Amino acid sequence: MWSTSLARASISLRSNTTKTCFGYSKIHRDTCLQLHSSASAMAALVIAETDPTRSQLQGSSLAAITATSQMIAKEEPQDNEIHLLMAGFSSDSEAVKKAKGIQQISKIYVVPSPNEATEKLFKYGVAEWMAPCIQYLQDKYKFSHIVAGASTFGKNIMPRVAASLEVSQISDITGVEGSDVFIRPIYAGNALSKVKCTDPVKVVTVRGTAFEKAVLKEAQNLPVEELSFTPETNASKCVKWLSEEVSQSERPDLTSARVVISGGRGLKSADNFKILEALADKLGAAIGASRAAVDAGFCPNEMQVGQTGKAVAPELYIAVGISGAIQHLAGMKDSKVIVAINKDPDAPIFQVADYGLVADLFEAVPEMTKLLDQNAKTAVHS
Ligand SMILES: Cc1cc2nc3c(=O)[nH]c(=O)nc-3n(C[C@H](O)[C@H](O)[C@H](O)COP(=O)(O)OP(=O)(O)OC[C@H]3O[C@@H](n4cnc5c(N)ncnc54)[C@H](O)[C@@H]3O)c2cc1C
């Protein structure tokens, strides 16, 4: 059992400084369809992340909802609720309508954006803007847990939330053993630690691939509380959203794709990633990369799989020209079937692979693509 007291001590030091910057002079609630649940029941708050079109919740948030339902199921009384914060949305937004179909949710808070500039701050989950909003809700409703996906969005916001509440953050959990006991990987996934959190509110991020996604059904008649919110902290006044550069891709999202093909330094150049693209086209796969491939400039940062990249757990993961360093394995070893192509028979990737091909990737990958093509043609003609 690992204690969180050390982490708390260091966070408290930082939050003492941060706290002087926080203030909530312009916060008020406009409408409230339902004030409180029963007096004895508590609620957990999940911070919603939506897709780039802002029309639906990301898989990371749906997994966070499942994890949260396990946390509150283990807490007394049993009638605890999960509330969802959808910052930057109004109550009639498409994403809010869809979120009402999540059966585990009992209430939604929406925070409409007063103008385009603030919309961007909510949309991109700017921590200096989101954290005061979450702290305001926490001061008001005293949630037992505040939970988000361990995606870039959650990793950006939640440390600031934890620091401003002067509690520890429990990061990237992969299991729930109680309302305050969590499992999380350490040493790049080589060991699992069981963490008991003694803080009054548990600030938790959830590894999306470790929990089933909450299922969307028919929209329920849920209470939606609309908040009018303009943080006036020094930090939030200083921050402005400028721009983003996103590479456009027709491929499935890396973190939710059924099949992922990742390339490593063995591909030798950005141009050579085209041979992976041809195979990915045949399999409807997303393309990932090792950090060495990203650092060498073969592909953009958002394609990185691993400890400091994305965690994926597809049905099929094909590692091409990747040695299998522990930091890479940390992001993909939960894949259902792992295939490795490497010319070095001693490459560590073969220790986790279900199927290994010791071969030159520049011969093996085009050959696989050709065979898939032939099979597809045979299937059409027969
Ligand atoms: C704090 C920290 C965090 C990190 N985070 C990550 C992370 O998130 N993700 C990540 O991936 N790494 C991460 N790393 C880096 C990691 O340690 C490795 O350096 C990296 O994963 C190696 O990438 P690679 O396997 O592509 O390259 P290499 O280790 O150089 O392996 C290349 C492989 O390609 C094979 N090969 C070469 N040519 C061919 C060919 N023609 N045909 C077939 N096979 C061929 C070689 O045999 C070799 O096994 C991190 C490191 C640190 C210290």
Side-chain angles (χ1 to χ4, degrees):
M1 188 77 73
W2 290 55
S3 161
T4 59
S5 55
L6 275 179
R8 184 163 60 241
S10 63
I11 286 175
S12 298
L13 278 178
R14 276 187 288 125
S15 57
N16 282 343
T17 346
T18 317
K19 214 177 169 198
T20 55
C21 307
F22 280 78
Y24 304 103
S25 54
K26 270 202 173 173
I27 302 163
H28 67 271
R29 189 182 59 204
D30 281 347
T31 56
C32 179
L33 300 180
Q34 179 181 309
L35 274 176
H36 283 286
S37 22
S38 71
S40 56
M42 290 188 78
L45 181 70
V46 174
I47 316 302
E49 176 184 3
T50 51
D51 69 343
T53 65
R54 305 278 279 163
S55 61
Q56 60 188 2
L57 258 63
Q58 288 285 50
S60 54
S61 291
L62 297 173
I65 289 167
T66 303
T68 310
S69 60
Q70 294 177 13
M71 293 172 208
I72 61 167
K74 289 168 178 155
E75 189 159 289
E76 293 291 335
Q78 297 288 313
D79 56 347
N80 292 313
E81 296 181 347
I82 301 179
H83 296 178
L84 186 69
L85 170 63
M86 301 194 67
F89 291 92
S90 51
S91 39
D92 57 354
S93 309
E94 188 58 29
V96 175
K97 285 182 197 157
K98 283 189 190 155
K100 286 182 180 174
I102 304 167
Q103 305 301 300
Q104 293 94 325
I105 299 293
S106 303
K107 181 177 179 181
I108 298 176
Y109 303 97
V110 292
V111 190
S113 315
N115 55 51
E116 211 180 311
T118 56
E119 191 184 334
K120 295 256 163 60
L121 295 167
F122 282 128
K123 176 176 176 182
Y124 295 106
V126 173
E128 292 80 353
W129 194 261
M130 290 288 291
C133 179
I134 294 165
Q135 191 179 357
Y136 163 68
L137 272 176
Q138 175 60 16
D139 289 346
K140 193 167 175 144
Y141 291 114
K142 308 278 183 273
F143 298 105
S144 57
H145 300 74
I146 302 177
V147 185
S151 57
T152 314
F153 178 88
K155 284 177 183 171
N156 186 34
I157 296 167
M158 297 300 265
R160 198 175 187 97
V161 172
S164 59
L165 295 172
E166 298 194 34
V167 299
S168 314
Q169 176 177 303
I170 312 296
S171 305
D172 203 18
I173 63 156
T174 54
V176 175
E177 291 218 342
S179 62
D180 56 0
V181 180
F182 309 100
I183 306 295
R184 59 179 299 268
I186 53 172
Y187 301 122
N190 278 338
L192 294 176
S193 64
K194 191 188 281 191
V195 182
K196 183 173 173 70
C197 178
T198 53
D199 286 322
V201 51
K202 282 79 182 146
V203 175
V204 181
T205 61
V206 174
R207 182 173 290 199
T209 52
F211 294 88
E212 294 290 323
K213 294 178 180 59
V215 183
L216 289 161
K217 295 190 179 157
E218 277 290 291
Q220 320 161 77
N221 190 15
L222 286 187
V224 177
E225 182 174 333
E226 195 165 304
L227 307 158
S228 169
F229 176 75
T230 310
E232 294 223 325
T233 66
N234 288 345
S236 58
K237 278 185 202 161
C238 292
V239 58
K240 191 173 160 195
W241 180 261
L242 295 180
S243 66
E244 70 165 351
E245 280 173 35
V246 185
S247 45
Q248 299 297 332
S249 170
E250 301 281 295
R251 297 194 186 285
D253 173 54
L254 187 55
T255 52
S256 56
R258 215 175 46 80
V259 181
V260 172
I261 305 175
S262 284
R265 186 152 37 198
L267 274 130
K268 297 192 171 53
S269 74
D271 217 32
N272 287 338
F273 262 74
K274 287 197 183 109
I275 65 168
L276 297 192
E277 285 170 18
L279 182 60
D281 286 344
K282 296 277 168 263
L283 296 172
I287 298 187
S290 71
R291 176 157 155 184
V294 171
D295 288 351
F298 299 171
C299 34
N301 190 270
E302 68 254 26
M303 283 169 65
Q304 184 178 318
V305 172
Q307 184 189 339
T308 43
K310 290 180 174 157
V312 301
E315 285 170 34
L316 174 62
Y317 187 86
I318 307 179
V320 181
I322 290 179
S323 58
I326 51 165
Q327 295 90 354
H328 186 79
L329 302 186
M332 47 61 77
K333 66 178 166 35
D334 292 334
S335 305
K336 309 281 176 302
V337 175
I338 298 173
V339 174
I341 304 171
N342 199 303
K343 67 178 182 185
D344 175 7
D346 296 324
I349 190 77
F350 289 126
Q351 289 166 20
V352 296
D354 299 287
Y355 300 93
L357 183 60
V358 180
D360 186 323
L361 70 90
F362 295 105
E363 290 168 14
V365 176
E367 186 66 15
M368 284 169 76
T369 311
K370 202 168 110 193
L371 286 170
L372 281 166
D373 211 20
Q374 280 170 5
N375 278 357
K377 281 181 188 145
T378 318
V380 169
H381 290 300
S382 59

